[in-house]
Amino acid sequence: MRRTLPFATLLLCGCYVTVPLASTSPGPGTRLHVQLTDNGSGNLARYLGPNVISVDGRLLQATDTAMSLSVNTVGMRDGDEQFWKGETVSLPKQAIATVQQKKLSRWRSGLLASALIVGIVAIKGATGGTAGTPGGAGNGGSPK
């Protein structure tokens, strides 16, 4: 169990970057970052909360008039983020300023995973690899 825990932790390491959409109509399940207009932020305050400027989540459905997301986080004007549990929110097209796709950055994720592995190895070396012999220094003979 202790040997597999670090590798399981690596699966959780993932850095995402926001990039322009590859197509004008992303498919369901696509991770999106939606920037709201000022009017959209005000109109959606009863659903999202006050001062929300962005919504991150997975696309459930897109129509000509609205976009439904399973929401992971909402960004606030003061820079804070609020984490959601996948609640569904419908965003009218007129409330949306920009839509970008969130993609896994393999380079950043690899760098983070490498740093995690180096940290684990360093901690293991500092705690387990330098332990002395039970009788103290010397050649292991009994004390006289």
Side-chain angles (χ1 to χ4, degrees):
M1 175 73 176
R2 285 200 279 162
R3 290 179 189 237
T4 59
L5 186 61
F7 297 107
T9 305
L10 290 178
L11 294 176
L12 299 175
C13 294
C15 295
Y16 287 85
V17 292
T18 306
V19 297
L21 278 174
S23 70
T24 55
S25 56
T30 305
R31 290 181 182 261
L32 297 177
H33 174 79
V34 179
Q35 195 76 28
L36 301 176
T37 63
D38 287 338
N39 282 340
S41 178
N43 293 338
L44 293 168
R46 63 183 165 186
Y47 303 111
L48 301 173
N51 300 315
V52 172
I53 60 168
S54 66
V55 179
D56 289 359
R58 287 190 184 272
L59 179 64
L60 299 174
Q61 181 182 13
T63 66
D64 292 339
T65 59
M67 182 179 285
S68 287
L69 295 178
S70 172
V71 180
N72 297 331
T73 58
V74 294
M76 312 302 283
R77 289 191 195 282
D78 63 4
D80 285 343
E81 286 186 333
Q82 292 181 352
F83 296 94
W84 288 38
K85 297 177 183 175
E87 293 88 347
T88 300
V89 173
S90 181
L91 305 173
K93 292 281 182 163
Q94 65 267 25
I96 298 172
T98 61
V99 179
Q100 295 179 309
Q101 186 173 356
K102 292 185 82 171
K103 285 191 165 190
L104 182 68
S105 171
R106 293 175 192 227
W107 184 83
R108 288 182 183 180
S109 297
L111 187 63
L112 179 61
S114 298
L116 182 64
I117 289 171
V118 167
I120 290 170
V121 169
I123 290 171
K124 185 175 180 178
T127 59
T130 59
T133 58
N139 57 8
S142 61
K144 297 184 179 179

